[in-house]
Amino acid sequence: MGSTCVVGLQWGDEAKGKIVDLLCDHHDVVVRYQGGANAGHTVVHEGTTYKLSLVPTGILRENVDAVIGNGVVIHPPALLKEIAGLTAQGVDFTGRLHVGDRAHVILPYHLAEERLTEESSSAADHLGTTRRGIGPCYKDKVGRVHGVRIADLYHPAEFRERLKRIVAFKNRLLAAMLPDFEPFDDAAIAEEYLGYAEELRPYVADASSWVHAAIAQGRRLMFEGAQGSLLDVDHGTYPYVTSSNSSAVGVSPGSGVPCRNIDRWIGVVKAYTTRVGGGPFPTEQDNEIGERIRQAGREFGTVTGRPRRCGWFDAVAARYSARVSGSTEIAVMLLDVLSGIDELKVAVAYEDEGVAVETMPASLVDYERCKPVYETLPGWSEDLTTARSWSDLPTRAREYVEYLGRRIGVPVSIVSVGPDRRQTIMVPRN
Ligand code: IMP
């Protein structure tokens, strides 16, 4: 087996961390290539629960290296806190974490800028972000004038000088928008961040060169997506997206590794759909069914604790994102959550005032008008959490999984029926 990419095909929280953790048995390096501390993975490894946000899941395996690529945005205090927490749980980082020197840095004014847009503009413009400074940091990155990269932190004199100019600009902007704004102190921020830089120094590397050297040594890589393909800034439900390429198209820009180095592309879906934050969600069930899924699936955000919006599986959206992310196989997660629901609905098309819509429309105006066209499948009553093989699953559960694969247009290879790695079923190939 060569290198693999694992991405979510919905709006995030597809339980990708479990798949990445499982596949670590066959990989030597795990690479994060986009996003930041907005992501949250809960991984149950050898009976212990770990919460990961910026650190790649591979860190939980002693013989695996973890890389944070240049496409990730890093809030140094968040990263250091996570390293400290995992170290306290017994995880050894020595020589195993490699933080890209080209990755951009989240600074305190990014958090203030995000609060400004999320709190004080018109409610219609609220995106429902995780408020981790992700969007403002990426804005500065592509805007080029105010972006700060990890490498910049190792040139203190130039960093202090530049930060003075950036902070003066940000202070003017924020003071104009916020009547009771307390200006940021550039010197204090510089000292704080230079301190973080010293703590991070053992981990900082030219991540892309490091990864290419690993490839040359024949090491097997796994690229771990954060968020989901439908939150991709180019291909998702814009503007209700995150600010990076969270589908598999982000692998190359975010890691410096071309796609030809990857041969397995796993698209991860839940057996239903969830979304946190604003934005269209045609199969949302804001009712008893949605609540039942939320409780059974413990659908509350890992990062923010927000209750997730829940609904039926949307095969139109999953088919679209499997195409964008080039999925060669599908992992269906949380199948056990659907036990006991008499009839399961799957959206197989959309309809806009009687006209069939085959794919996801670009305009939110059009998308919000789309009504799902459902097919109904019989549910099952059995508890699935003890199933260990494909044949242990009730016929109706197997039929549901096969149906999802047919509708997505990509075969399902893995089914998960619980958080533990033993609760994972490999689907036999026909
Ligand atoms: P941001 O990434 O914090 O800018 O938030 C943008 C949108 O992406 C919001 O709707 C968030 O709820 C959503 N989002 C960000 N990270 C995640 C994640 O890890 N899982 C699910 N949704 C996310």
Side-chain angles (χ1 to χ4, degrees):
M1 193 193 290
S3 293
T4 305
C5 172
V6 179
V7 292
L9 296 185
Q10 295 160 314
W11 283 287
D13 311 312
E14 296 91 351
K16 300 172 285 291
K18 174 176 166 173
I19 297 298
V20 173
D21 181 52
L22 263 176
L23 294 177
C24 276
D25 289 346
H26 309 284
H27 294 82
D28 308 299
V29 180
V30 178
V31 185
R32 266 284 302 273
Y33 56 89
Q34 47 70 229
N38 50 348
H41 289 327
T42 305
V43 180
V44 181
H45 181 66
E46 293 178 355
T48 307
T49 302
Y50 298 91
K51 297 227 182 254
L52 297 148
S53 189
L54 261 168
V55 175
T57 308
I59 205 73
L60 303 180
R61 302 300 181 96
E62 278 169 17
N63 51 348
V64 171
D65 278 282
V67 177
I68 298 181
N70 61 283
V72 175
V73 287
I74 298 176
H75 191 212
L79 177 56
L80 288 165
K81 191 171 165 209
E82 195 176 336
I83 294 173
L86 289 167
T87 303
Q89 283 189 289
V91 177
D92 182 10
F93 281 78
T94 322
R96 298 178 48 226
L97 176 67
H98 312 279
V99 177
D101 53 6
R102 289 170 172 79
H104 276 250
V105 178
I106 297 179
L107 285 128
Y109 46 78
H110 290 135
L111 304 171
E113 287 173 342
E114 186 160 19
R115 272 199 307 277
L116 185 67
T117 49
E118 285 293 293
E119 283 169 17
S120 51
S121 55
S122 133
D125 292 332
H126 292 175
L127 299 176
T129 69
T130 60
R131 300 192 186 203
R132 296 296 187 270
I134 307 294
C137 182
Y138 277 117
K139 255 199 245 179
D140 279 346
K141 172 179 173 170
V142 296
R144 298 157 299 157
V145 179
H146 297 138
V148 173
R149 303 195 293 176
I150 291 284
D152 300 332
L153 303 179
Y154 297 97
H155 298 280
E158 291 82 354
F159 173 59
R160 286 193 190 96
E161 264 314 296
R162 198 151 158 260
L163 198 63
K164 192 181 287 181
R165 296 197 301 277
I166 298 173
V167 168
F169 180 92
K170 301 280 182 184
N171 276 345
R172 280 203 301 279
L173 204 71
L174 288 163
M177 304 290 287
L178 294 168
D180 51 357
F181 173 67
E182 274 282 318
F184 285 106
D185 175 347
D186 60 274
I189 299 175
E191 292 325 302
E192 183 188 342
Y193 274 65
L194 290 171
Y196 297 143
E198 281 317 305
E199 287 186 74
L200 287 175
R201 195 186 277 280
Y203 309 113
V204 174
D206 173 345
S208 167
S209 298
W210 191 96
V211 168
H212 276 282
I215 295 171
Q217 289 159 13
R219 300 183 80 195
R220 297 153 305 176
L221 271 50
M222 183 159 32
F223 295 86
E224 175 182 21
Q227 293 85 47
S229 300
L230 298 175
L231 289 171
D232 186 291
V233 66
D234 283 295
H235 300 285
T237 48
Y238 191 91
Y240 293 99
V241 292
T242 191
S243 298
S244 62
N245 284 121
S246 53
S247 69
V249 303
V251 166
S252 295
S255 68
V257 177
C259 292
R260 68 181 154 80
N261 285 104
I262 304 171
D263 26 48
R264 191 174 177 198
W265 300 83
I266 303 178
V268 186
V269 295
K270 281 178 179 164
Y272 45 91
T273 309
T274 64
R275 172 160 210 173
V276 259
F281 178 1
T283 61
E284 180 168 16
Q285 298 300 300
D286 190 11
N287 54 29
E288 219 174 281
I289 279 288
E291 188 53 34
R292 181 181 177 144
I293 292 175
R294 184 174 305 115
Q295 295 305 331
R298 295 172 298 280
E299 293 294 356
F300 298 88
T302 319
V303 174
T304 60
R306 289 180 288 179
R308 296 179 183 141
R309 300 156 65 192
C310 298
W312 297 121
F313 191 86
D314 185 340
V316 185
R319 190 180 183 91
Y320 168 86
S321 47
R323 192 183 67 203
V324 168
S325 281
S327 306
T328 53
E329 57 191 282
I330 302 291
V332 175
M333 312 303 286
L334 293 126
L335 186 66
D336 53 300
V337 169
L338 298 182
S339 288
I341 300 177
D342 293 341
E343 290 190 328
L344 301 171
K345 293 188 177 180
V346 175
V348 296
Y350 299 145
E351 205 178 73
D352 178 1
E353 291 173 357
V355 179
V357 178
E358 300 293 334
T359 187
M360 291 181 67
S363 155
L364 283 199
V365 179
D366 294 334
Y367 197 29
E368 262 154 10
R369 274 206 320 259
C370 283
K371 299 275 172 287
V373 178
Y374 288 116
E375 282 213 2
T376 303
L377 283 85
W380 57 89
S381 55
E382 296 89 336
D383 169 26
L384 305 188
T385 57
T386 54
R388 294 291 177 265
S389 71
W390 183 239
S391 58
D392 287 344
L393 290 175
T395 309
R396 285 174 170 182
R398 289 201 303 254
E399 283 170 357
Y400 181 74
V401 169
E402 284 170 341
Y403 181 81
L404 297 190
R406 279 200 303 281
R407 283 291 172 183
I408 300 169
V410 180
V412 177
S413 59
I414 303 172
V415 173
S416 174
V417 292
D420 197 276
R421 56 186 288 144
R422 284 165 306 182
Q423 294 170 302
T424 315
I425 293 168
M426 299 301 156
V427 181
R429 282 174 200 263
N430 291 330

